Amino acid sequence: MPDATLDHIARTFDLRAWSVAFTRTCGGAIVETMADHVRDLASVRDATERLLTAAGKLNNDSVAEPSRLPGWTRGHVLAHLARNADALVNVLSGRPMYASAEARDADIDRDAPLPLDAQLLDVRESAAHFQETGAAPADWSRTVELRNGVTDTASGVPLRRWAEVELHHVDLGIGYELEDLPAEFTEREITFLTDRFTGHPDVPHTVVTDGTRAWSTGSESAGPGITVTGPAPELLGWLCGRRDGAGLDVRGGALPTLPPL
């Protein structure tokens, strides 16, 4: 998989540990939010059904066409979604997420050329296995390990999977856009992504706002404060590398360039 694709995906799915309890700035108030794994698992299920319904309208030729991710066909995106579900089952089961980075990429390349029917079945069956694993009695406050030694609480895993399904649905380029994402998901993913760059020495202190809610990111030591304003889908698109920020209003300096991780 080309480096550009790796960076594009990494910007969205940063594997840095984050707490099951996190705070967000909302209208000037700090609100405490707790991860609800049961509700998030239901959201993952609904998002998966939306994706499968939409992808079911493709054919073998269109699934082999380029996706919006550099270097990946739509088949690569679907293969990645299936193998990611397997990987997160491994995480919840206490096993390594992937055997290795090379094995992860090889599995995606192996499955990307499969016919559409096989791709859809693979995504559906792997998603069902993830749901079954999530439904089993477990200590959701336990620490689990993802890639490269990164840890998280088990209750944070369903939100990670939700992000995979929603944003890669957009990446398929089949009519599902950032504006179509559930509002709750968009807000929570903006929270996650702004938190990712908080304190980063290469990102100036930045207030990100849709005019109603506001998030803070970057580092005060990296430069003067910048305010980035726009609709929530545009903010999310910039933060996750899906849009260039042209639809945003920037005050106090240039739109920060977000470094890949």
Side-chain angles (χ1 to χ4, degrees):
M1 182 172 58
D3 290 345
T5 307
L6 284 167
D7 291 348
H8 197 80
I9 295 173
R11 177 163 294 179
T12 306
F13 306 114
D14 170 32
L15 294 178
R16 187 181 64 179
W18 70 305
S19 174
V20 64
F22 62 91
T23 59
R24 62 180 172 83
T25 305
C26 182
I30 299 297
V31 181
E32 184 79 4
T33 308
M34 297 297 293
D36 182 343
H37 74 275
V38 174
R39 192 159 176 259
D40 286 348
L41 283 167
S43 296
V44 172
R45 183 183 61 244
D46 293 345
T48 302
E49 286 303 317
R50 284 194 296 274
L51 182 146
L52 286 168
T53 297
K57 299 175 184 178
L58 299 172
N59 56 44
N60 289 335
D61 289 335
S62 56
V63 81
E65 292 173 350
S67 73
R68 290 176 174 174
L69 289 176
W72 270 14
T73 66
R74 293 187 177 112
H76 282 90
V77 175
L78 293 173
H80 167 63
L81 281 168
R83 301 289 70 80
N84 173 262
D86 292 342
L88 292 178
V89 167
N90 288 338
V91 168
L92 291 175
S93 302
R95 299 188 292 269
M97 188 171 181
Y98 295 101
S100 66
E102 294 76 16
R104 170 190 176 276
D105 294 347
D107 286 348
I108 293 170
D109 288 338
R110 177 198 66 206
D111 297 338
L114 291 174
L116 177 63
D117 286 350
Q119 292 264 19
L120 297 178
L121 181 62
D122 194 16
V123 173
R124 185 176 294 280
E125 290 184 342
S126 59
H129 191 198
F130 175 75
Q131 290 287 335
E132 290 165 4
T133 303
D139 174 11
W140 286 90
S141 66
R142 73 190 187 280
T143 298
V144 295
E145 185 170 339
L146 293 106
R147 297 175 69 190
N148 304 318
V150 173
T151 60
D152 195 357
T153 54
S155 60
V157 172
L159 179 59
R160 292 176 181 271
R161 177 60 181 175
W162 192 8
E164 294 274 352
V165 176
E166 293 285 14
L167 292 175
H168 281 319
H169 190 168
V170 174
D171 293 333
L172 286 172
I174 54 177
Y176 191 69
E177 303 296 341
L178 295 172
E179 287 76 10
D180 299 314
L181 296 170
E184 178 194 356
F185 170 78
T186 298
E187 180 177 352
R188 291 177 67 186
E189 192 66 5
I190 290 173
T191 299
F192 178 76
L193 293 168
T194 51
D195 178 69
R196 185 187 71 181
F197 291 113
T198 297
H200 196 293
D202 296 330
V203 179
H205 177 64
T206 305
V207 173
V208 177
T209 178
D210 63 0
T212 301
R213 298 157 296 187
W215 300 261
S216 179
T217 193
S219 172
E220 293 185 3
S221 65
I226 294 171
T227 300
V228 178
T229 305
E234 290 286 350
L235 294 172
L236 176 58
W238 165 59
L239 288 164
C240 72
R242 264 67 181 179
R243 293 185 182 172
D244 62 9
L248 301 173
D249 179 71
V250 185
R251 305 288 178 87
L255 183 70
T257 298
L258 302 178
L261 298 179

